[in-house]
Amino acid sequence: MFRRDVKQLDSVLHAFLRSSGLETPLLQRRLIDSWGEVAGPVVARYTGDIFISNQTLMVKINNSALRAELSMMRTQLVNRLNQHVGVRVIADIKFF
């Protein structure tokens, strides 16, 4: 008899994503997609463009009062977003 090197599918997929350089963009996409759920539906309604640049989440907020309030909650939002994804994807958030 011969023995096969059996691996779990999630570990194989994880290794493939990492080796092909797709892991980070996938995690960034998950984080951007989770913005509405983490920030809430009211904030999501006033949200425009969202993108990540140099571990900073850039979020366009169409209401200046809400933008000021969210700026004071930056640290909490960073922690909640990273927890939602499961790894540290971003280090800061900037609202514009």
Side-chain angles (χ1 to χ4, degrees):
M1 293 227 152
F2 61 93
R3 178 173 242 169
R4 293 184 180 183
D5 185 20
V6 178
K7 296 180 182 176
Q8 291 186 348
L9 184 58
D10 66 339
S11 65
V12 172
L13 285 174
H14 183 70
F16 170 75
L17 289 173
R18 180 167 284 190
S19 67
S20 61
L22 297 174
E23 182 181 34
T24 301
L26 179 64
L27 291 172
Q28 289 177 344
R29 183 79 249 162
R30 284 183 188 164
L31 187 129
I32 289 170
D33 290 344
S34 69
W35 170 255
E37 184 178 336
V38 172
V42 174
V43 175
R45 193 173 331 139
Y46 290 101
T47 300
D49 297 333
I50 303 175
F51 60 94
I52 296 176
S53 176
N54 297 327
Q55 289 189 328
T56 301
L57 182 66
M58 308 294 283
V59 182
K60 179 168 176 60
I61 301 294
N62 299 323
N63 184 314
S64 60
L66 181 60
R67 186 180 320 123
E69 187 176 335
L70 290 172
S71 292
M72 291 185 278
M73 299 174 51
R74 277 188 3 228
T75 308
Q76 294 169 335
L77 286 169
V78 168
N79 291 336
R80 287 173 41 196
L81 285 164
N82 284 332
Q83 278 181 337
H84 194 269
V85 176
V87 289
R88 186 174 184 263
V89 177
I90 59 170
D92 195 15
I93 298 178
K94 291 198 178 174
F95 300 101
F96 62 97

